Amino acid sequence: MPTAVRSTSSRRGPGRDVDALRERRMRAVELFEAGRRQVDVVVQLGVSAQTASRWHRAWQSGGRDALAGAERLGRTPRLSDEQLAGVEAVLLEGPKANGFGTDMWTLARVSEVIERITGVRYTLSQTWLILRQRLGWSRQRPARRAVERDDAAIEAWAKRDWPRIKR
């Protein structure tokens, strides 16, 4: 499933790119330090007057560091990288090793394992996002094979009979 890429048109600004947002705020700091007015920041950086005013107040009270911004956007994950590594190690052991009857992972089973190991409960959709985005796993479907399938007989037929039929 491909990931969506947000376009950053000049009308909308840099979107939610943390580095681009920080760079724009630092450019505003440079303008304020050079004695430029808030109106100049609005015109040069294409931000609203309210944003320029908020940045100016923050710069006056806390200097450059006040506009540095966060390292990341959004909530911090409920599972740390260490916890996630532990979950992945357990998942790699397989479903049967984790007490399930068949050798196939489902989102419900993965969610149950995550809760058992970390104490954090996730919905099925959240579980899928963890598998896909944080662990890089993809959806797999097991190959359907007949119970009666005899690989040795198939191989013998391919060596013995197929060359004759093929001629």
Side-chain angles (χ1 to χ4, degrees):
M1 187 162 145
T3 58
V5 177
R6 286 187 180 231
S7 68
T8 55
S9 67
S10 59
R11 186 174 57 106
R12 289 185 46 186
R16 291 180 56 87
D17 181 7
V18 176
D19 294 329
L21 293 171
R22 182 177 301 115
E23 188 176 309
R24 188 166 60 161
R25 287 191 306 272
M26 291 302 108
R27 178 73 182 120
V29 167
E30 291 169 7
L31 292 172
F32 292 144
E33 288 173 346
R36 305 298 293 268
R37 299 173 304 156
Q38 293 177 32
V39 131
D40 299 325
V41 171
V42 169
V43 171
Q44 287 190 14
L45 300 181
V47 298
S48 69
Q50 292 89 347
T51 297
S53 176
R54 190 179 67 239
W55 287 353
H56 190 262
R57 271 194 319 274
W59 171 73
Q60 282 182 323
S61 65
R64 180 176 287 269
D65 292 339
L67 289 174
E71 293 297 317
R72 63 181 310 283
L73 296 175
R75 294 177 71 174
T76 55
R78 290 192 290 166
L79 290 182
S80 68
D81 291 337
E82 294 80 27
Q83 287 175 311
L84 199 60
V87 167
E88 185 174 27
V90 170
L91 292 176
L92 289 173
E93 293 172 4
K96 286 190 176 179
N98 282 283
F100 298 106
T102 63
D103 205 18
M104 183 172 64
W105 282 117
T106 63
L107 290 176
R109 289 178 176 186
V110 172
S111 179
E112 186 178 320
V113 168
I114 291 173
E115 184 176 3
R116 186 173 65 226
I117 293 172
T118 65
V120 178
R121 172 178 273 165
Y122 284 106
T123 65
L124 298 184
S125 60
Q126 290 169 323
T127 302
W128 169 243
L129 290 175
I130 289 170
L131 289 173
R132 184 74 181 122
Q133 294 174 354
R134 292 194 65 196
L135 293 177
W137 288 25
S138 63
R139 186 180 80 166
Q140 304 282 316
R141 289 202 174 183
R144 293 189 177 250
R145 299 238 169 139
V147 177
E148 304 85 10
R149 182 182 170 103
D150 184 359
D151 288 326
I154 293 171
E155 190 175 333
W157 179 87
K159 287 181 181 175
R160 183 185 64 238
D161 295 336
W162 178 242
R164 177 180 49 81
I165 295 170
K166 189 175 170 184
R167 276 188 267 143

